[in-house]
């Protein structure tokens, strides 16, 4: 294949091409064009000339990873978060100046809504920049691995490598306290000679460590994930046992220290179970909820449905401005947390139901009656067609959609618009600096 010329043949896996990155795709990879053929390059940023190694050649496009930066783009800044000399896999946009990150995120929201959703006529507001560009994450999951010399490391998988863990000393996405907690567990593993799980061999014990932080109270909670083998007592709060190290990090969990993580948000106190969702950027979660509250436009008497409510945070922070709040969430532990959180904060007008949005909305309508406002905050996959239909049955005047993926918000918003809603306003909020992840809030109103 000739760079810049006509596409000769499809490139082969492992082939290296010199390409110039001209833009950024959804998901954050650089886009290069070789003739009419598109190459998505992870590690490539706009203006970069890179040597890209093809990892997945397909008929109309290929996936590749940048193996050498031949000439940096004009908006490149120096990488700050490095582990063993490699850029932090949790911060793939750190080489892009922060102002440029914000511009790309706002543009991608616009593009998704217009191109994927076919929407227009809405007001795309300015993006809210993050309060902190570094050390903002309140949760990080690390993997155990072994160096060539046999030394145990605790860090991140190298990009695209399930078999290689790069050790972390100081991750600039985590607080100093969070880094210290991780390093303490790694030192314990080395001193006690507890072996990392070796996936190909099926031997060893230590799989993952999840470090969560209550930013306001300074609490650190550590959860160690291991195979069922016996080993000396670890210095952690929670211990999860999984059948083998390749099957994720959820399983039966024993309590050795602090069972609950505590956090304050919008002036309220929250407690959460280890498997309940909580926004990973505490400071920006308050900003996000403030936008959602502004869009909800409550005047004191409304009935509000908080679908995908997690531990109840969005609904509870709005309960003082609403008549009543009803939360629905699929994880039963999170619903138990939400109920305790309502009680802890003396909130009597919030009620919660465990169930899926697919099957839970109709029982909620029967119990509560029709809502004035529906809050939606689904996972990245967005709403299925069926859930959109259930949301339409609510006949709410206003829908406030908090989205962590504009490419699923766009078709969902289009479906709601087709059914009679108008997309009024959209505001991106930067919850995840140094990454391509985009959060935004959209307001839809019934005409
Ligand atoms: C992005 S989180 C938002 C949680 C909460 N609104 C917050 O701000 O912390 C999405 C939540 O949806 C829940 N969830 C996932 N699939 C669901 C479904 N089908 N029905 C109901 N809840 C679901 C997840 O457990 C998670 O708590």
């Amino acid at each position: 294949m000739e760079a810049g010329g006509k596409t000769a043949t499809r490139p082969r896996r492992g082939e290296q091409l010199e390409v110039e990155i001209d833009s950024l795709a959804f998901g954050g990879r650089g886009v290069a064009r070789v003739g009419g053929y598109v190459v998505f390059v992870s590690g490539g940023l706009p203006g970069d000339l890179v040597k890209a190694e093809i990892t997945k050649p397909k008929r109309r496009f290929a996936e590749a990873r940048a193996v050498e930066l031949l000439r940096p783009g004009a908006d490149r800044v120096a990488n700050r978060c490095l582990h063993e000399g490699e850029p932090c896999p949790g911060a793939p946009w750190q080489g892009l100046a922060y102002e440029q990150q914000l511009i790309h995120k706002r543009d991608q929201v616009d593009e998704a809504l217009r191109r994927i959703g076919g929407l227009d006529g809405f007001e795309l507001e300015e993006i809210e920049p993050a309060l902190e560009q570094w050390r903002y994450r309140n949760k990080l999951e690390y993997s155990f691995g072994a160096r060539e010399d046999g030394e145990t490391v605790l860090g991140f998988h190298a990009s695209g490598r399930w078999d290689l863990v790069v050790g972390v000393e100081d991750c600039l996405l985590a607080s100093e306290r969070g880094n210290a907690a991780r390093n303490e567990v790694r030192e314990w593993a080395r001193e006690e000679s507890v072996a990392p799980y070796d996936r190909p061999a099926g031997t060893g014990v230590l799989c993952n460590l999840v470090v969560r932080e209550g930013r306001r109270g300074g609490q650190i909670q550590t959860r160690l994930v291991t195979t069922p083998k016996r080993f000396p007592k670890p210095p952690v709060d929670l211990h999860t046992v999984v059948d083998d190290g390749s099957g994720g990090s959820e399983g039966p969990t024993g309590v050795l220290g602090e069972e609950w993580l505590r956090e304050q948000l919008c002036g309220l106190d929250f407690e959460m179970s280890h498997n309940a969702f909580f926004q990973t950027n505490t400071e920006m979660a308050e900003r996000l909820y403030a936008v959602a509250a502004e869009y909800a436009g409550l005047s004191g008497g409304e009935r509000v449905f908080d679908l995908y409510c997690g531990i109840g945070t969005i609904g509870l922070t709005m309960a003082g401005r609403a008549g009543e709040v009803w939360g629905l969430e699929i994880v039963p532990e999170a619903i138990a947390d939400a109920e305790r959180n309502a009680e802890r904060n003396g909130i009597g007008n919030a009620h919660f139901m465990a169930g899926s949005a697919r099957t839970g909305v109709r029982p909620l309508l029967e119990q509560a009656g029709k809502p004035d406002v529906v809050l939606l905050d689904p996972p990245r996959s967005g709403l299925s067609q069926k859930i959109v239909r259930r949301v339409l049955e609510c006949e709410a005047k206003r829908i406030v959609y908090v989205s962590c993926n504009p490419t699923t918000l766009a078709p969902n918003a289009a479906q709601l618009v087709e059914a009679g809603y108008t997309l009024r306003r959209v505001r991106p909020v930067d919850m995840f600096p140094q990454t391509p992840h985009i959060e935004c809030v959209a307001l839809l109103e019934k005409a």
Side-chain angles (χ1 to χ4, degrees):
M1 173 168 279
E2 295 161 29
K6 264 184 129 54
T7 312
T9 48
R10 189 202 298 198
R12 291 181 316 279
R13 189 192 168 93
E15 190 177 337
Q16 294 195 345
L17 304 174
E18 240 178 60
V19 294
E20 185 164 339
I21 308 295
D22 60 41
S23 55
L24 285 165
F26 289 113
R29 286 177 302 180
V31 180
R33 281 164 231 275
V34 186
Y37 192 81
V38 174
V39 185
F40 294 103
V41 186
S42 58
L45 295 174
D48 286 352
L49 182 70
V50 299
K51 192 179 281 179
E53 183 176 295
I54 303 292
T55 50
K56 263 195 206 155
K58 303 204 173 147
R59 198 165 61 81
R60 297 188 46 205
F61 66 90
E63 293 177 20
R65 64 186 179 95
V67 288
E68 197 182 337
L69 180 58
L70 302 167
R71 192 203 60 219
D75 293 320
R76 269 268 178 193
V77 294
N79 286 334
R80 287 179 54 186
C81 190
L82 297 164
H83 308 306
E84 297 181 6
E86 293 295 316
C88 176
W93 274 14
Q94 62 174 310
L96 194 60
Y98 187 58
E99 300 67 39
Q100 289 298 318
Q101 296 181 25
L102 294 176
I103 291 169
H104 282 291
K105 289 185 184 189
R106 185 169 181 271
D107 285 352
Q108 289 197 343
V109 171
D110 197 38
E111 197 185 332
L113 291 170
R114 288 180 200 283
R115 246 190 32 201
I116 304 173
L119 297 156
D120 57 19
F122 56 90
E123 187 188 347
L124 178 65
E125 300 173 345
E126 285 307 314
I127 184 166
E128 294 225 8
L131 293 164
E132 303 290 340
Q133 291 169 24
W134 294 100
R135 299 207 188 278
Y136 60 84
R137 282 192 69 102
N138 59 27
K139 179 181 180 187
L140 277 155
E141 180 160 346
Y142 304 98
S143 299
F144 285 91
R147 262 199 218 118
E148 267 181 8
D149 63 5
E151 178 107 288
T152 294
V153 292
L154 183 50
F156 299 122
H157 281 278
S159 161
R161 295 280 305 273
W162 61 266
D163 56 336
L164 181 68
V165 174
V166 176
V168 170
E169 199 51 50
D170 179 22
C171 179
L172 296 183
L173 298 178
S175 70
E176 277 104 349
R177 272 198 297 263
N179 277 301
R182 180 202 56 243
N183 293 347
E184 185 191 334
V185 177
R186 179 197 61 206
E187 289 315 305
W188 161 84
R190 287 178 180 171
E191 277 159 27
E192 299 287 347
S193 300
V194 188
Y197 180 72
D198 179 334
R199 193 161 147 186
T203 58
V205 179
L206 304 171
C207 305
N208 303 97
L209 180 75
V210 183
V211 181
R212 282 180 107 173
E213 183 179 2
R215 307 270 290 187
R216 282 3 187 321
Q219 183 196 354
I220 294 284
Q221 186 193 57
T222 47
R223 181 165 69 92
L224 184 65
V225 182
T226 76
T227 59
K229 300 198 179 93
R230 292 180 68 85
F231 56 89
K233 186 170 181 288
V236 295
D237 295 300
L238 301 166
H239 175 206
T240 298
V241 179
V242 290
D243 285 342
D244 75 89
S246 46
S249 57
E250 295 307 328
T253 299
V255 180
L256 306 174
E258 296 271 0
E259 180 170 7
W260 311 105
L261 185 69
R262 293 175 297 279
E263 186 57 285
Q264 285 128 33
L265 212 56
C266 305
L268 301 181
D269 291 326
F270 290 94
E271 255 184 29
M272 65 202 89
S273 309
H274 75 84
N275 56 346
F277 176 91
F278 188 71
Q279 301 285 348
T280 46
N281 184 334
T282 307
E283 291 76 13
M284 289 309 289
E286 285 187 338
R287 298 297 317 134
L288 184 75
Y289 293 174
V291 179
E294 183 189 328
Y295 281 12
L298 302 174
S299 55
E302 293 87 351
R303 180 178 296 133
V304 177
F305 278 9
D306 179 5
L307 307 183
Y308 305 90
C309 71
I311 62 166
T313 42
I314 303 188
L316 289 172
T317 56
M318 288 188 199
R321 283 164 280 181
E324 55 191 70
V325 170
W326 293 80
L328 178 68
E329 155 68 42
I330 204 163
V331 175
E333 292 87 346
I335 285 295
D337 293 345
E339 281 165 348
R340 282 200 324 275
N341 286 327
E343 206 178 308
R344 171 175 301 109
N345 290 288
I347 296 172
N349 63 342
H351 318 275
F352 296 95
M353 259 176 75
S356 100
R358 201 167 60 80
T359 54
V361 171
R362 282 184 172 169
L364 193 58
L365 280 168
E366 263 170 44
Q367 202 179 332
K370 292 209 163 133
D372 303 289
V373 177
V374 169
L375 308 171
L376 299 166
D377 186 7
R380 288 181 57 74
S381 52
L383 314 179
S384 66
Q385 298 262 8
K386 189 161 189 175
I387 296 178
V388 170
R389 287 201 292 275
R390 293 294 96 87
V391 170
L392 289 170
E393 285 171 18
C394 293
E395 296 181 343
K397 282 197 291 287
R398 225 165 288 143
I399 297 175
V400 178
Y401 192 138
V402 178
S403 164
C404 55
N405 184 354
T407 68
T408 55
L409 166 66
N412 287 162
Q415 287 152 346
L416 294 168
V417 166
E418 204 180 324
Y421 282 87
T422 304
L423 177 62
R424 297 258 181 239
R425 306 166 65 181
V426 182
R427 194 181 309 167
V429 177
D430 191 22
M431 309 281 287
F432 310 105
Q434 324 306 338
T435 81
H437 296 297
I438 304 175
E439 191 86 19
C440 66
V441 188
L443 170 63
L444 294 118
E445 280 178 327
K446 228 180 174 44

